């Protein structure tokens, strides 16, 4: 009887800890250098990001140079149950996936987000020059994307299946024809959406 109640207490305690963790889950980022952009805020909610599902993106910045073709080196570290697992660059269906050097960040988004296409592009993004065609055509000046809805696929079915679960730290080193644009690391966690019932 005593053993049984300690087990119950342990389970309840774990459930509370798990709950608090989830509620405290926040998107965070560190800017390493940003010669071409003054980043005011970046946020994604909810964290953990649930998929398939919706996430809301906030990105407020002052661009000193326009964003067109933006070369990006990604370094992705995935942490699962406290173990850090660096993600390699590998090929899926002929496409680079993971910690690779990409010639255009826009193409990376297009590959990972099936809704990133002109037919389903969020209308509000058009005023910033984002029509979900690549490369981007974002003019210099203020960019104020506030709580814009992103439709996320089931990551397990996508080519970036490693993104399905875990805590992620992604370093992005971006550059344009004139040189370095911005370097930052973003941290967030991802979980499959619990199925109903
Ligand atoms: C990406 O480019 C950097 C700098 O040129 C290089 O050190 C790194 O090995 C490259 N990564 C891949 C996956 O090719
Ligand atoms: C981001 O994740 C990395 C790798 O797990 C970790 O070392 C770093 O402290 C995290 N940064 C923040 C701001 O949480």
């Amino acid at each position: 009887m005593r053993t049984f109640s300690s087990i119950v207490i342990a389970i309840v305690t774990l459930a509370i800890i798990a709950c608090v963790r989830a509620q405290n889950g926040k998107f965070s980022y560190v800017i390493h250098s940003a010669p071409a952009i003054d980043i005011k805020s970046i946020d994604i909610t909810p964290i953990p990001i649930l998929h398939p599902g919706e996430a809301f993106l906030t990105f407020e910045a002052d661009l000193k140079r326009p964003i067109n073709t933006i070369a990006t080196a990604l370094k992705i570290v995935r942490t699962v149950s406290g173990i850090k697992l660096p993600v390699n660059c590998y090929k899926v269906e002929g496409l680079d996936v993971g910690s690779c050097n990409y010639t255009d960040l826009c193409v990376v988004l297009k590959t990972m987000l099936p809704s990133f296409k002109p037919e389903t592009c969020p209308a509000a993004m058009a005023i910033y020059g984002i029509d979900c065609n690549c490369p981007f055509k974002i003019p210099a000046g203020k960019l104020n994307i506030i709580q814009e809805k992103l439709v996320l696929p089931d990551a397990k079915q996508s080519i970036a299946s490693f993104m399905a679960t875990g805590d992620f730290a992604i370093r992005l080193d971006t550059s344009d024809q004139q040189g370095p644009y911005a370097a930052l690391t973003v941290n967030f966690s991802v979980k499959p959406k619990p199925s109903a019932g």
Side-chain angles (χ1 to χ4, degrees):
M1 202 54 197
R2 178 167 290 173
T3 315
F4 178 73
S5 54
S6 351
I7 291 170
V8 170
I9 290 168
I11 290 172
V12 169
T13 310
L14 284 177
I16 291 171
I17 292 171
C19 224
V20 168
R21 275 230 185 108
Q23 281 166 2
N24 286 347
K26 273 205 165 70
F27 177 88
S28 69
Y29 64 98
V30 175
I31 298 169
H32 306 295
S33 73
I37 183 169
D38 185 5
I39 296 173
K40 305 228 161 32
S41 75
I42 313 176
D43 196 19
I44 295 177
T45 56
I47 297 289
I49 294 170
L50 300 175
H51 65 88
E54 292 172 353
F56 294 85
L57 169 74
T58 293
F59 188 92
E60 294 177 281
D62 211 338
L63 313 187
K64 297 174 201 165
R65 300 204 296 263
I67 296 179
N68 299 307
T69 301
I70 188 131
T72 303
L74 292 187
K75 283 205 193 78
I76 306 172
V77 176
R78 178 175 175 234
T79 303
V80 178
S81 310
I83 300 167
K84 284 189 187 181
L85 307 161
V87 174
N88 292 327
C89 179
Y90 58 99
K91 292 232 186 249
V92 178
E93 296 161 18
L95 295 167
D96 282 340
V97 178
S99 302
C100 313
N101 291 339
Y102 298 91
T103 52
D104 189 358
L105 179 62
C106 181
V107 176
V108 178
L109 283 182
K110 218 179 171 74
T111 309
M112 294 191 41
L113 290 176
S115 63
F116 193 89
K117 55 180 180 226
E119 305 84 76
T120 50
C121 204
M125 300 287 242
I127 51 172
Y128 303 114
I130 302 170
D131 59 4
C132 298
N133 280 303
C134 291
F136 291 122
K137 285 186 213 69
I138 309 174
K142 290 204 189 311
L143 185 61
N144 291 308
I145 296 171
I146 310 284
Q147 299 247 314
E148 196 55 56
K149 184 167 89 179
L150 305 175
V151 178
L152 307 176
D154 179 351
K156 276 170 288 187
Q157 310 294 326
S158 82
I159 63 166
S161 53
F162 71 88
M163 293 288 295
T165 306
D167 295 325
F168 291 89
I170 303 184
R171 180 174 171 133
L172 299 97
D173 283 276
T174 59
S175 54
D176 63 9
Q177 289 87 339
Q178 292 184 53
Y181 198 93
L184 66 157
T185 299
V186 297
N187 284 32
F188 58 90
S189 49
V190 180
K191 273 190 184 169
K193 190 178 198 160
S195 47

